[in-house]
Amino acid sequence: TTNNVMEHVMRRSLDRRDFAACIELRKGVDSKPRSDGVVVSDGDCWKCKRYERHGRWITASFDADDMEGWHLYQPLREEPDLFLKFSKVWQDKNFPSAAQAFVSRFGLPRGTGRGKGSDRPTRLSLQEVFEESQRAWVALTLYESVLNKDGAAAKKLLAEYRDLDEAFDECHKHTQQWALPDDTVPLTPLQGALAASVLVVDDAVTRLCRQGTSVHFDRPNPDPSSAVKVTWSFDNPLGAMYLQMWWVVTSSGDLSRCEHCSRLISLTRPSPGARKRRSDKRFCNDACRQAHHRSKKRV
């Protein structure tokens, strides 16, 4: 039926392709510095070769100063949807095992470390992993409720998880007339959901990530301005995750979504000097346009 088709189109969850597309978008079509950052392959995180679970703690099997037990990986390039993966961990029926499995693949999202290896976290409680994963899921799901224009879901999420983070609580209050001065107009649930999601993501990026500049001579006789690139670094995998989500929420003006397959469509220039794509672009290619029209005829 028509309603079923519309439901399929409107109900949208972010997936790996969405995160990868936003990272590609933020790399830019040229190498000029941009205020939102140009990703180069020097954002990395430490991961221990083995982690163990001791009671309510997950601990690295090697000391932070024991370099034989650690190696680096690049989460932005190797795992563009790390935020998405992490947001699902807390929901696993066997959470302790799921948490250990995640940490074994990607390292502790954050934690404590001492001495020279302070950038290599060695210990984190299962409770902290649970809370961080849950907070990431709520921020993600609030944003998805906005994409889907689902005010009921937004309202429920803000009410149910208001105690998880100050931003969730504050935005929930701003949707309630009783919690505001009489002359203040409350936010709609969708406005509150968007504000809460963005506040949590922005706070994490502010705390855990840094923007800088570097010089890369990756072409012969480059123009001086093209050799300077804006780069990102982060304190730990949690910072890398939230940077991924930050790029998603800040890319809305440069992205559209195919009405047939729901894939993201970049609206930026395909190459330097080229015309910017139309903002009303509805389909990613002719095949999707034709398939969409055929599906409408069958309804």
Side-chain angles (χ1 to χ4, degrees):
T1 65
T2 302
N3 287 338
N4 289 336
V5 172
M6 290 300 295
E7 181 71 11
H8 172 74
V9 172
M10 293 178 65
R11 297 302 308 178
R12 180 67 181 136
S13 296
L14 295 175
D15 59 24
R16 181 183 175 88
R17 296 174 304 178
D18 297 323
F19 281 86
C22 290
I23 289 178
E24 287 299 314
L25 176 65
R26 290 310 177 192
K27 288 181 180 179
V29 295
D30 57 25
S31 56
K32 294 181 180 179
R34 293 169 45 151
S35 62
D36 52 7
V38 175
V39 182
V40 294
S41 58
D42 59 355
D44 44 38
C45 290
W46 287 102
K47 184 178 76 171
C48 187
K49 289 183 178 179
R50 186 172 67 252
Y51 292 88
E52 301 170 357
R53 198 166 79 241
H54 299 286
R56 59 189 183 91
W57 296 90
I58 298 181
T59 306
S61 300
F62 294 83
D63 291 336
D65 293 335
D66 186 354
M67 294 302 297
E68 294 297 320
W70 297 82
H71 70 271
L72 289 167
Y73 75 103
Q74 296 173 338
L76 297 179
R77 187 188 336 191
E78 299 174 32
E79 301 293 337
D81 63 337
L82 191 57
F83 184 91
L84 187 63
K85 289 183 172 72
F86 184 59
S87 71
K88 299 176 180 178
V89 172
W90 75 282
Q91 294 179 305
D92 197 285
K93 292 181 179 179
N94 189 349
F95 166 72
S97 295
Q100 185 173 0
F102 178 90
V103 169
S104 296
R105 288 186 62 189
F106 308 115
L108 289 170
R110 62 177 179 84
T112 58
R114 295 181 178 179
K116 296 179 181 179
S118 59
D119 59 343
R120 295 185 283 281
T122 58
R123 192 168 184 252
L124 190 65
S125 72
L126 285 169
Q127 181 63 30
E128 290 173 290
V129 176
F130 184 92
E131 291 175 357
E132 290 288 3
S133 174
Q134 188 179 51
R135 182 180 291 104
W137 177 84
V138 175
L140 174 72
T141 310
L142 283 169
Y143 188 71
E144 288 176 341
S145 74
V146 177
L147 292 180
N148 292 315
K149 298 180 173 60
D150 191 341
K155 182 177 180 180
K156 182 178 179 182
L157 283 163
L158 286 174
E160 187 170 348
Y161 295 100
R162 57 180 301 182
D163 294 332
L164 183 61
D165 191 279
E166 289 184 7
F168 299 151
D169 184 47
E170 191 68 20
C171 291
H172 173 264
K173 289 178 180 177
H174 277 78
T175 65
Q176 307 297 311
Q177 184 65 70
W178 60 264
L180 301 172
D182 293 337
D183 59 347
T184 302
V185 178
L187 298 177
T188 68
L190 289 178
Q191 290 172 333
L194 180 60
S197 179
V198 171
L199 284 172
V200 167
V201 172
D202 187 68
D203 175 68
V205 171
T206 300
R207 288 185 292 105
L208 302 173
C209 304
R210 287 163 304 283
Q211 200 179 71
T213 55
S214 60
V215 180
H216 289 257
F217 297 106
D218 51 5
R219 63 184 70 177
N221 302 316
D223 178 79
S225 63
S226 69
V228 180
K229 296 188 178 183
V230 178
T231 61
W232 284 94
S233 59
F234 25 83
D235 293 341
N236 46 40
L238 191 66
M241 296 176 211
Y242 272 97
L243 186 57
Q244 292 173 345
M245 187 60 190
W246 189 76
W247 277 323
V248 170
V249 302
T250 58
S251 296
S252 57
D254 292 322
L255 293 170
S256 182
R257 197 175 292 279
C258 177
E259 291 186 17
H260 177 69
C261 70
S262 296
R263 291 177 181 172
L264 288 175
I265 305 169
S266 173
L267 301 178
T268 59
R269 291 176 176 82
S271 61
R275 295 177 60 185
K276 188 174 181 179
R277 295 182 175 96
R278 291 174 50 176
S279 60
D280 60 350
K281 186 176 176 67
R282 298 173 57 194
F283 304 100
C284 52
N285 53 42
D286 288 337
C288 276
R289 180 184 295 105
Q290 294 169 6
H292 179 75
H293 291 317
R294 287 196 297 269
S295 66
K296 289 182 68 177
K297 290 180 181 179
R298 288 198 298 267
V299 174

